Amino acid sequence: MTTHATRRLLTETIIDELQVLPELLRKAETRYYEAERRLSEKRSLLAEAEAKADAFAAERAAYRRSSAAAPAPNAAALLAELLEAQEEADRWKAEVDFLRRRHDNYRVMAGLLTNA
């Protein structure tokens, strides 16, 4: 059983959190969507580099009758950037999910306090 002062403090804390969380969630979502956009750009750059390498290898094979595919000159760097972008997007996705759950939990607590 809680005292009136404890209940009031808990209510004020929940109200404060419910006022702050939507803005934090909005910022995290914005960063997540930016990270997803950068990830998409990295994927398309890597696909473009691989396509260029395949085209170069096909030309080379036609002239030299060699089927050895030439790796894209900066494929390793692009792949590293892609992995880094994927990790960043995953971190922001986790942050967004955490803030959504936290916001939902505070809404449930506020509802329980108003009904009690």
Side-chain angles (χ1 to χ4, degrees), residues 5-6 21 25-26 43 58:
T6 304
L21 279 173
L25 182 58
R26 193 171 17 262
R43 283 183 178 146

Side-chain angles (χ1 to χ4, degrees), residues 48-65:
E48 185 179 308
E50 288 174 347
K52 286 180 181 178
D54 290 344
F56 178 74
E59 285 180 17
R60 190 171 149 201
Y63 290 114
R64 293 190 176 183
R65 297 178 191 222

Side-chain angles (χ1 to χ4, degrees), residues 4 10 12-14 17 31 42 50 53 56 66 97 102:
H4 181 66
L10 183 60
E12 289 174 3
T13 303
I14 291 172
E17 285 290 324
R31 290 184 179 137
K42 301 293 183 190
E50 288 174 347
F56 178 74
S66 169
D97 290 343
R102 185 173 169 189

Side-chain angles (χ1 to χ4, degrees), residues 17-71:
E17 285 290 324
L18 284 173
Q19 290 174 348
V20 172
L21 279 173
E23 182 63 27
L24 291 175
L25 182 58
R26 193 171 17 262
K27 287 179 182 179
E29 284 175 336
T30 300
R31 290 184 179 137
Y32 169 64
Y33 293 130
E34 288 173 2
E36 282 291 322
R37 181 189 52 78
R38 285 191 297 273
L39 178 61
S40 178
E41 288 175 1
K42 301 293 183 190
R43 283 183 178 146
S44 63
L45 286 174
L46 183 61
E48 185 179 308
E50 288 174 347
K52 286 180 181 178
D54 290 344
F56 178 74
E59 285 180 17
R60 190 171 149 201
Y63 290 114
R64 293 190 176 183
R65 297 178 191 222
S66 169
S67 62

Side-chain angles (χ1 to χ4, degrees), residues 59-89:
E59 285 180 17
R60 190 171 149 201
Y63 290 114
R64 293 190 176 183
R65 297 178 191 222
S66 169
S67 62
N74 56 353
L78 287 174
L79 186 58
E81 290 177 13
L82 177 73
L83 293 175
E84 184 179 310
Q86 180 67 51
E87 289 174 2
E88 181 184 5

Side-chain angles (χ1 to χ4, degrees), residues 2 5-15 109 113:
T2 59
T6 304
R7 187 178 182 88
R8 184 176 182 105
L9 180 63
L10 183 60
T11 303
E12 289 174 3
T13 303
I14 291 172
I15 290 171
M109 286 189 280
L113 282 174

